[in-house]
Amino acid sequence: MTKKTLALLLTAATLLAGCGSTGASSPGGGAPKAGGTLVLGENGQEPPCLDPHGNASSDGPVATVPVADSLVWFDADGTIEPWLADSWNVSDDGLTYTFKLRHGVKFHDGAVWNAEALKLNFEHMKDPATKSPLAAAYIAPYEDSKVVDEYTLEVRLSSPYKPFLDILSQGYLGMISPKQIKEAPQTICEHPIGSGPFIFDKWTKGQSITYHRNPDYNWGPKGAKHTGPAYLDKLEIRFLAEDATRYNALASGEVDAIDFTPPQNVEDVKANPELGFLSAIRPGHPMSFWLNTSRPPFDDVKVRQALLAAVDRESIIKGVSFGQYDVAQGFVTSSTPGYAAALEGSIAYDPAKAGGLLDEAGWTGRDKDGIRTKDGKRLVAYFPIAANFPAQRMQIAVQTQAAARKIGLDIQLQTPPEQELTDRSNKGDYDMSSGLWATNTADVLWIQYSSENITTDKRRGQNVARLRDAQLDDLLERARQGENPAKLYNQAQARLLELAPAIPFYDDPRPVAYQKKVRDLTFTPAYPSPYFYDTWLEQ
Amino acid sequence: MKRPGPGLWLAVAVLAVLVLAAVAPHLLSAQDPLAVDSAQTLRPPSAAHPLGTDENGRDVLARIVYGTRTSLLLGFGAIAIALVFGGLLGLAAGLGNRVVENVIMRLSDIGLAFPELLLALVVITVAGGGTANAVLAIGVANIPGYARLVRAQTLAVRRSSYVEAAHALGLPGRRVILRHVLPNAVKPVLVLATIGVGTALVAGSALSFLGLGTPPPEPEWGSMLSTARNFISRAWWYGVFPGAAITLTVISVTVVGRALRLRSEGRTSW
Amino acid sequence: MIRFIAWRLLAGAGVLWGAATLTFLVLHFTPGDPAEAVVGGEGAAPTPEVLAQITAEYGLDRPWYEQYAGHLWRIVRGDFGTSYRLHTPVTQAIGEQAWATMELALAAAVTGLVLAVAVALATAGRRRWIRGLAAGAELLVASTPAFWLGIVLLTVFSFGLRLLPATGSHGLASLVLPALALALPIAGVLGHVLREALEEVLDEPFIVSARSRGLADTTVRVRHALRHALLPLVTMSGYWVGALLGGAVITETLFTRQGIGRLLVAAVNAKDLPVVLGVVLLSALVYVLVNLVVDLLYRVVDPRLKEAA
């Protein structure tokens, strides 16, 4: 599926169902039936902690969203809808958010959802004792809040922060029972208590998490297809790290659905009349190799542009994904609000141009292996990787290495000890680094490329390209403050194409495959992951 | 009394081919094991690629042939480390005074109390991944075992009648050790070590499976096998051939090792 | 006898202390900040406050000897501490995983031993081609990496024939393939050793005399020869217990089973010292106890050793 058809489908689904979730709709009609257990096979990214605020795992939201509702719901088209908040008001200076909360919401332990509960959740996210690896950073501008009345909370920020509501819709910022936060915060990791459609049962570490239906649930998001409790009696998430095992567990009927369908099996899934397939591109930064712009050789923009032109991303991605992934067109994915569609096609494969750029940069000599030299120095880039580097990323690395060699750039893959790797990445002692960042706003560009986010002794930041560009900083900061983000993000994306701080490879999808008897399995668009509230089983 | 069967000669022949592949791989495969071809990924065996291609379009045969050196290094290198250090410690324990013996034996107890793989894991956490460190890891994990073996042999030889006779004849202690104790203690250990090479090779591939072995793009059998498992449903050849290479090598080493053992125990006629 | 056991237990305590010390030193003096390991990694963005909190809470800023003494004193009092990574007590973290590993190791041990004994009993001293066939099969499984054997078993029996489930730690069916994958290489090695020992015993005069008394072949093998041939199995217990525990990591990973092995790998990577210490102590304890039991067994099997010790 190309991203355009997917985008069309997303829009169509939104129009038809009046909701933001794409999903396995029921073509044959038929009314949803309650009952049954759904078993989902997940990949191996099992979170070490199930406190929504206490993990940063890509499998965090799929495991915590059934239990913990969010303050607001994010639609695939980028609009924010009410959920546990009925409405909100933002002050003109962007510093004060006043939330009017939904009445009648109860947590699984009987605690009541009110302004005090929201305040406690914010404080829990920020509290260093929570050891939050992500949520705390996402609400960094949060200053404090004031309970106006039982159902009204006034939140004050230290600086204007346009993406605040978008971030609040993500599973990592789901709402936990105030009673548990106050009385037993140490139990949240092990046994989170929320207000969601499913009640947490048991976490068998290394294996599975089980849930059962919350019979009192009546506060689903506005985008959902139904109201009242969920249809499924029980839900089980089973961690099946091995790709072949996960796919075969679905094919043999051991599980009802699998997340992260291995790309080599997608064709088999589509050809199988018993199986359905559902995919969404994760908003945020595409899977990329970042180039360290703070030291040679990639401090020279020509060398960076040369490497981008030397790599045939199209054919590499087609090969590693068995034709399933879309090649990234820039520095945010196509599903990110603010994506600059007009800039598509700007990064072109052109090895001849790559050679020319390196000549211009002064790398004109050649050593006996054909590697370019300048002033007696070889053109080498060090790419340290972790022992558990994903196989597919390794493939991309190896093929990039081969392409770079052809233009005389020697990429050396290194496997230092895990801890040395962290040290080196904090110190900026690398030339290349890989990764992606999934979040539902173009503010991801600020996270990844603002010079404020270069890691220092005092601050850990995500600007692994260590890019420092005054023009880009200005664009991103102003967009963050709320000044015409659409236009500013467009300009930022154009500027990044000139700066070439990374090789963007593909827009990361979340491909889910399921037995046809599974109906209305959907995604939470804020952080695309399977969402089971509307899901039912045809018997 | 047994005579060497055809199995032994076959094993020796396999080892000879392996040595050739390790020393002069270009004689066995004309292709470049690192040549990536994004358009030819996971192709089944054909005239151009007799054992098919891998996920990066590289020739599987070439990668097996060129991977021989690293894979053998894993087995032989690790056992060499274990033999040298374990041997020295074992000799020291067997010949030294009670304090030395006790210290070495208690240390080896601690070493043995760590499961081998855990010890290897610790070494790699400290030293990082890569072929040299994998060799070191497996080698270190095997040191306590060999230290005990050598100590036991040393004690046995030291108490044996001919060493006592040498002492009685008034030969100097160092000469007795060098001439008599050392060779007699080490010979049976060497023979056992041959079999150990196979075990170390398998352990090396297990490290590769956990992602702690040879870094890409260098070919190594264990890491080939480890990557191949992701594509097992689409490309059987990618897993089967490196798997066969490991099994065949270990079998050959074991067969030769067992024959050497029978010979050293005087149970064969050659 | 009591003195022997007491002495051995004391020595065992020394081994545990040594193992704990070694573990602490290695994890402490390798580069890297445990705080980073706990909340860092891809997709994470820990704030400085969070990192400072972890450092303070786990006492990571104290001098190493204080930390070492702290950990040791804690363990001596029977408190294994709280996992940095999982935020749960170590005893609970290990407890949750221990049964799955034990189940797997026991199943594999039984399978491996039964296979080895059965094949050796059936083939020792038989015609050349029978022995050759058994020896060949043993050599084949003993020479194949366990994870590759596991992949082949999975592909054939689970993905292909769909006879057995590929995943999970529930029920007997899900135990069959992992136990086999773990047991076969061990059975291959033990089977070979056992058959050689059996063949040696079968040539002994007391077997010849037993046969001359007209005892049936099976009776001779099982009742008379096997007992003597079992000695090498006891001698090699160190090998196969180690192979079981080491192989468990691989098998657990491949079959996505719960287990101590996977817990340990994750803990080592996260510098989760309390968990690593706990697992190391547990496995060292198993080693010490197994060796004690083996030495006691020796005395039962071979009475000559009684005076020697």
Side-chain angles (χ1 to χ4, degrees):
Chain A
M1 195 186 295
T2 71
K3 77 182 157 297
K4 274 174 204 134
T5 47
L6 182 85
L8 270 176
L9 280 178
L10 277 168
T11 322
T14 314
L15 290 175
L16 284 174
C19 79
S21 47
T22 57
S25 54
S26 19
K33 284 187 276 281
T37 300
L38 181 128
V39 183
L40 173 82
E42 249 314 330
N43 68 3
Q45 304 298 314
E46 182 178 356
C49 164
L50 293 183
D51 179 348
H53 317 151
N55 78 76
S57 158
S58 60
D59 285 355
V62 67
T64 61
V65 170
V67 178
D69 295 324
S70 291
L71 193 60
V72 290
W73 174 268
F74 173 91
D75 249 358
D77 63 3
T79 52
I80 305 288
E81 301 270 358
W83 196 356
L84 292 187
D86 269 337
S87 65
W88 49 89
N89 185 49
V90 189
S91 67
D92 288 341
D93 59 4
L95 288 173
T96 310
Y97 283 65
T98 310
F99 292 98
K100 294 267 182 201
L101 305 184
R102 190 164 185 154
H103 295 231
V105 176
K106 263 210 175 83
F107 290 93
H108 304 150
D109 59 0
V112 176
W113 166 246
N114 55 22
E116 183 64 31
L118 176 56
K119 185 170 195 265
L120 277 170
N121 267 281
F122 278 128
E123 283 164 5
H124 177 67
M125 291 174 207
K126 285 221 83 160
D127 185 356
T130 306
K131 305 185 188 77
S132 168
L134 187 61
Y138 270 168
I139 63 155
Y142 172 90
E143 189 73 23
D144 57 16
S145 49
K146 196 172 82 195
V147 177
V148 176
D149 62 44
E150 172 91 27
Y151 292 102
T152 312
L153 190 77
E154 198 179 281
V155 175
R156 279 218 316 265
L157 305 182
S158 57
S159 59
Y161 181 40
K162 189 78 177 40
F164 190 45
L165 290 171
D166 304 86
I167 292 300
L168 279 168
S169 68
Q170 289 189 32
Y172 297 111
L173 291 93
M175 295 296 147
I176 291 295
S177 157
K179 192 166 165 233
Q180 193 180 22
I181 292 175
K182 257 192 304 200
E183 291 170 11
Q186 74 284 359
T187 61
I188 305 177
C189 265
E190 191 74 359
H191 191 125
I193 300 172
S195 61
F198 293 92
I199 300 174
F200 183 89
D201 273 331
K202 188 164 181 277
W203 179 17
T204 314
K205 293 200 186 86
Q207 195 181 327
S208 64
I209 307 174
T210 52
Y211 313 80
H212 67 275
R213 175 173 46 209
N214 174 6
D216 303 328
Y217 193 74
N218 195 24
W219 41 85
K222 217 181 144 202
K225 289 189 174 162
H226 80 295
T227 55
Y231 297 117
L232 297 169
D233 285 342
K234 283 182 176 164
L235 173 64
E236 178 183 341
I237 295 176
R238 215 179 270 176
F239 296 99
L240 307 172
E242 292 285 314
D243 278 353
T245 304
R246 194 163 64 256
Y247 166 68
N248 278 287
L250 177 76
S252 67
E254 261 181 75
V255 300
D256 304 302
I258 55 169
D259 204 350
F260 293 103
T261 310
Q264 62 263 39
N265 300 116
V266 170
E267 285 307 321
D268 303 331
V269 168
K270 287 180 177 163
N272 189 333
E274 320 241 295
L275 300 179
F277 183 71
L278 173 69
S279 183
I281 285 173
R282 304 211 279 165
H285 197 286
M287 205 308 282
S288 306
F289 288 172
W290 282 292
L291 311 174
N292 186 347
T293 60
S294 71
R295 71 176 203 182
F298 292 131
D299 57 344
D300 186 338
V301 68
K302 290 208 166 102
V303 179
R304 305 199 295 266
Q305 286 166 340
L307 181 56
L308 250 78
V311 177
D312 186 358
R313 301 176 310 139
E314 200 79 43
S315 102
I316 291 178
I317 296 310
K318 194 168 169 232
V320 304
S321 74
F322 298 86
Q324 296 303 320
Y325 295 174
D326 297 331
V327 173
Q329 296 297 325
F331 296 88
V332 297
T333 68
S334 61
S335 62
T336 317
Y339 170 69
L343 297 173
E344 279 178 18
S346 303
I347 310 171
Y349 171 54
D350 189 347
K353 180 182 149 205
L357 281 165
L358 287 179
D359 288 339
E360 282 173 41
W363 293 95
T364 43
R366 293 272 184 172
D367 74 356
K368 61 177 176 14
D369 302 323
I371 300 303
R372 284 173 187 263
T373 57
K374 177 163 105 176
D375 308 328
K377 272 205 190 126
R378 295 174 84 242
L379 183 53
V380 181
Y382 295 98
F383 191 171
I385 55 175
N388 60 356
F389 203 58
Q392 194 183 49
R393 220 179 270 183
M394 184 72 85
Q395 249 178 292
I396 299 175
V398 164
Q399 298 191 22
T400 302
Q401 190 181 36
R405 228 193 143 73
K406 282 195 186 137
I407 58 159
L409 166 63
D410 183 15
I411 295 177
Q412 293 199 359
L413 293 167
Q414 304 172 309
T415 49
E418 195 70 21
Q419 293 306 316
E420 189 187 317
L421 193 67
T422 317
D423 279 2
R424 281 179 66 177
S425 92
N426 284 342
K427 286 188 198 123
D429 180 14
Y430 56 87
D431 294 314
M432 296 175 76
S433 171
S434 76
L436 56 87
W437 193 273
T439 185
N440 53 349
T441 111
D443 189 48
V444 71
L445 293 176
W446 180 84
I447 295 175
Q448 293 289 171
Y449 297 113
S450 160
S451 59
E452 252 182 75
N453 286 321
I454 297 176
T455 293
T456 61
D457 289 343
K458 297 206 178 55
R459 189 182 149 74
R460 300 274 170 275
Q462 296 302 320
N463 186 350
V464 287
R466 299 177 95 81
L467 188 66
R468 209 178 271 284
D469 183 67
Q471 190 190 336
L472 185 68
D473 277 352
D474 177 57
L475 291 169
L476 295 174
E477 195 53 49
R478 274 158 56 207
R480 193 160 218 254
Q481 310 255 347
E483 176 198 330
N484 198 352
K487 186 177 146 223
L488 292 173
Y489 283 134
N490 231 314
Q491 291 172 357
Q493 287 171 69
R495 177 70 185 144
L496 279 164
L497 285 168
E498 292 164 19
L499 293 171
I503 316 173
F505 278 102
Y506 61 86
D507 289 359
D508 194 42
R510 186 102 181 199
V512 172
Y514 54 89
Q515 313 280 353
K516 280 271 169 72
K517 68 170 186 191
V518 176
R519 297 303 192 86
D520 292 331
L521 182 62
T522 59
F523 283 123
T524 47
Y527 186 93
S529 55
Y531 183 56
F532 311 97
Y533 174 49
D534 285 325
T535 310
W536 55 285
L537 298 172
E538 198 170 37
Q539 297 307 332
Chain B
M1 291 285 171
K2 293 175 187 167
R3 295 198 57 80
L8 179 59
W9 295 120
L10 213 61
V12 171
V14 170
L15 288 184
V17 173
L18 289 174
V19 170
L20 181 67
V23 177
H26 55 276
L27 294 181
L28 293 177
S29 170
Q31 305 229 28
D32 178 358
L34 302 180
V36 166
D37 186 348
S38 309
Q40 292 285 324
T41 55
L42 298 177
R43 294 299 159 95
S46 64
H49 301 287
L51 303 185
T53 66
D54 72 1
E55 83 282 16
N56 292 316
R58 297 172 298 199
D59 185 62
V60 171
L61 175 64
R63 288 186 69 75
I64 291 178
V65 169
Y66 279 83
T68 310
R69 192 180 300 168
T70 314
S71 301
L72 290 189
L73 187 69
L74 271 177
F76 286 94
I79 293 304
I81 288 176
L83 258 185
V84 170
F85 290 96
L88 287 177
L89 287 173
L91 272 178
L95 298 171
N97 59 30
R98 266 196 100 87
V99 178
V100 174
E101 178 176 3
N102 263 317
V103 169
I104 292 176
M105 282 303 100
R106 294 297 79 77
L107 281 178
S108 84
D109 262 339
I110 294 169
L112 284 171
F114 271 70
E116 180 179 325
L117 201 74
L118 166 57
L119 210 58
L121 212 68
V122 169
V123 172
I124 282 172
T125 320
V126 179
T131 314
N133 291 336
V135 170
L136 188 69
I138 302 164
V140 167
N142 275 296
I143 288 177
Y146 282 90
R148 306 209 120 197
L149 208 62
V150 172
R151 169 181 164 270
Q153 286 295 329
T154 312
L155 287 180
V157 174
R158 205 172 138 189
R159 293 192 189 125
S160 66
S161 47
Y162 62 87
V163 171
E164 279 175 6
H167 273 297
L169 287 172
L171 289 174
R174 187 179 298 163
R175 209 169 130 199
V176 174
I177 291 171
L178 281 181
R179 278 283 188 74
H180 302 276
V181 178
L182 191 65
N184 282 299
V186 162
K187 211 200 282 169
V189 176
L190 270 178
V191 169
L192 275 180
T194 319
I195 298 172
V197 167
T199 323
L201 227 150
V202 171
S205 71
L207 284 185
S208 293
F209 171 77
L210 294 174
L212 305 170
T214 308
E218 288 316 310
E220 192 269 320
W221 300 343
S223 55
M224 288 177 77
L225 207 46
S226 171
T227 315
R229 78 182 193 275
N230 297 315
F231 306 104
I232 192 82
S233 58
R234 288 182 85 105
W236 58 266
W237 56 90
Y238 185 15
V240 164
F241 294 120
I246 293 180
T247 306
L248 200 62
T249 307
V250 178
I251 288 182
S252 305
V253 170
T254 312
V255 165
V256 171
R258 282 179 185 171
L260 286 177
R261 199 187 83 201
L262 290 180
R263 194 182 149 215
S264 78
E265 289 169 3
R267 289 202 275 166
T268 42
S269 58
W270 51 283
Chain C
M1 191 69 159
I2 305 258
R3 261 190 69 187
F4 170 77
I5 296 179
W7 169 241
R8 287 293 301 267
L9 285 178
L10 196 69
V15 168
L16 293 189
W17 170 70
T21 305
L22 194 66
T23 309
F24 174 85
L25 293 178
V26 163
L27 258 69
H28 188 83
F29 286 107
T30 46
D33 177 2
E36 290 275 356
V38 175
V39 286
E42 197 176 320
T47 60
E49 294 79 27
V50 168
L51 290 171
Q53 164 78 22
I54 293 173
T55 305
E57 190 175 325
Y58 299 148
L60 302 171
D61 46 358
R62 288 184 299 158
W64 71 269
Y65 46 86
E66 270 185 40
Q67 293 189 41
Y68 171 68
H71 283 296
L72 222 56
W73 176 234
R74 194 168 50 64
I75 289 170
V76 168
R77 283 177 310 166
D79 173 10
F80 286 86
T82 304
S83 160
Y84 297 166
R85 190 177 68 93
L86 302 166
H87 314 279
T88 55
V90 170
T91 37
Q92 184 192 337
I94 292 180
E96 284 168 349
Q97 308 292 328
W99 173 241
T101 298
M102 210 142 85
E103 193 181 56
L104 175 66
L106 277 179
V110 171
T111 315
L113 288 176
V114 167
L115 267 177
V117 170
V119 172
L121 269 182
T123 58
R126 303 279 188 213
R127 250 166 282 176
R128 201 189 158 98
W129 68 268
I130 297 181
R131 288 205 326 255
L133 206 65
E138 282 162 5
L139 201 50
L140 189 71
V141 289
S143 305
T144 305
F147 75 88
W148 177 236
L149 207 59
I151 292 169
V152 172
L153 288 174
L154 267 179
T155 310
V156 174
F157 292 101
S158 187
F159 304 165
L161 302 174
R162 301 215 187 288
L163 284 176
L164 291 160
T167 65
S169 312
H170 27 233
L172 210 57
S174 66
L175 192 57
V176 175
L177 290 183
L180 262 184
L182 188 52
L184 281 177
I186 298 172
V189 174
L190 295 186
H192 169 79
V193 173
L194 195 58
R195 196 177 43 255
E196 281 203 338
L198 260 179
E199 287 180 348
E200 230 166 87
V201 174
L202 285 173
D203 288 338
E204 297 269 344
F206 74 92
I207 296 289
V208 179
S209 85
R211 284 193 201 279
S212 66
R213 275 184 279 137
L215 288 180
D217 178 57
T218 318
T219 321
V220 171
R221 279 167 184 263
V222 176
R223 297 257 304 266
H224 297 270
L226 185 60
R227 202 186 137 195
H228 292 262
L230 282 178
L231 201 63
L233 286 199
V234 179
T235 315
M236 289 183 73
S237 58
Y239 155 76
W240 55 266
V241 171
L244 282 175
L245 292 179
V249 185
I250 305 283
T251 315
E252 285 162 5
T253 308
L254 185 63
F255 289 90
T256 41
R257 282 179 61 86
Q258 276 196 291
I260 297 280
R262 283 172 72 198
L263 178 71
L264 179 70
V265 173
V268 168
N269 278 329
K271 288 203 122 186
D272 191 348
L273 188 59
V275 171
V276 179
L277 275 177
V279 176
V280 165
L281 285 174
L282 180 69
S283 77
L285 184 69
V286 169
Y287 169 82
V288 167
L289 291 181
V290 165
N291 273 295
L292 180 60
V293 170
V294 165
D295 285 353
L296 293 176
L297 268 181
Y298 255 142
R299 296 166 155 244
V300 177
V301 181
D302 194 346
R304 277 172 307 173
L305 278 171
K306 260 183 196 149
E307 300 100 62

